[in-house]
Amino acid sequence: MMATVRLSFSPAPVHVRTARLVGVAVARRAGVAEELLDEVRLAIGEACTRAVTLHRQYGLTDLVTVEMSDSDSYTVRVIDHAPIEASVGLTKLPPDELADESLTDDALTTGVGFALLAGFVDDLQVRPVDDGPGTEVRMVWPVTRR
């Protein structure tokens, strides 16, 4: 039985916890192995924090969207609506420039977020949304059917 759960929330940090809790509950129901649930929780939290930070940095009131679906795998998509150059700009900086104290905490959070996500998720894709500004962070974990 394939199910899709969709959450949309205002860009407030308090909502990230809810997204993590729902994401882990859906992952467990989908059949993600128990030993991967911490990775799921951390990855969803990181992707949502990144989206919320970008929205707040650019003064956006658009909702952050999280879609979770299970079929042959457990897929989570986190969608923001920030300008695309903001979403990927820091990922191209050399490591010594990431230590630059002139960078804001928000800028560091969004840039370092991709590196952290890559450590949590084997199947990670980041791409522009289909229409308008924004980025989709897509994460996939294997499931086992009981």
Side-chain angles (χ1 to χ4, degrees):
M1 172 178 75
M2 187 171 102
T4 299
V5 174
R6 182 181 175 128
L7 299 173
S8 294
F9 56 89
S10 62
V14 68
H15 299 304
V16 172
R17 181 176 187 270
T18 302
R20 282 193 316 250
L21 291 171
V22 172
V24 170
V26 174
R28 184 175 277 125
R29 185 190 72 205
V32 173
E34 196 69 29
E35 60 269 14
L36 295 177
L37 293 180
D38 276 343
E39 291 176 18
V40 170
R41 179 180 56 79
L42 291 168
I44 291 172
E46 189 60 40
C48 289
T49 296
R50 183 192 152 280
V52 166
T53 300
L54 284 169
H55 278 227
R56 293 169 65 91
Q57 183 177 347
Y58 285 88
L60 303 174
T61 57
D62 303 59
L63 300 178
V64 173
T65 303
V66 182
E67 292 181 357
M68 297 158 262
S69 61
D70 62 343
S71 55
D72 296 335
S73 59
Y74 176 58
T75 303
V76 177
R77 296 172 55 228
V78 178
I79 301 165
D80 69 69
H81 300 285
I84 190 70
E85 61 276 4
S87 297
V88 297
L90 282 177
T91 61
K92 297 176 184 168
L93 287 179
D96 58 321
E97 289 186 38
L98 283 176
D100 183 348
E101 291 181 23
S102 66
L103 293 173
T104 65
D105 287 344
D106 284 349
L108 283 172
T109 296
T110 57
V112 174
F114 288 129
L116 291 173
L117 281 170
F120 298 141
V121 185
D122 290 336
D123 188 349
L124 172 67
Q125 296 176 358
V126 180
R127 65 179 196 84
V129 295
D130 290 333
D131 54 358
T135 305
E136 173 188 313
V137 176
R138 184 176 174 273
M139 305 168 284
V140 181
W141 290 271
V143 297
T144 54
R145 301 291 180 207
R146 297 175 188 129

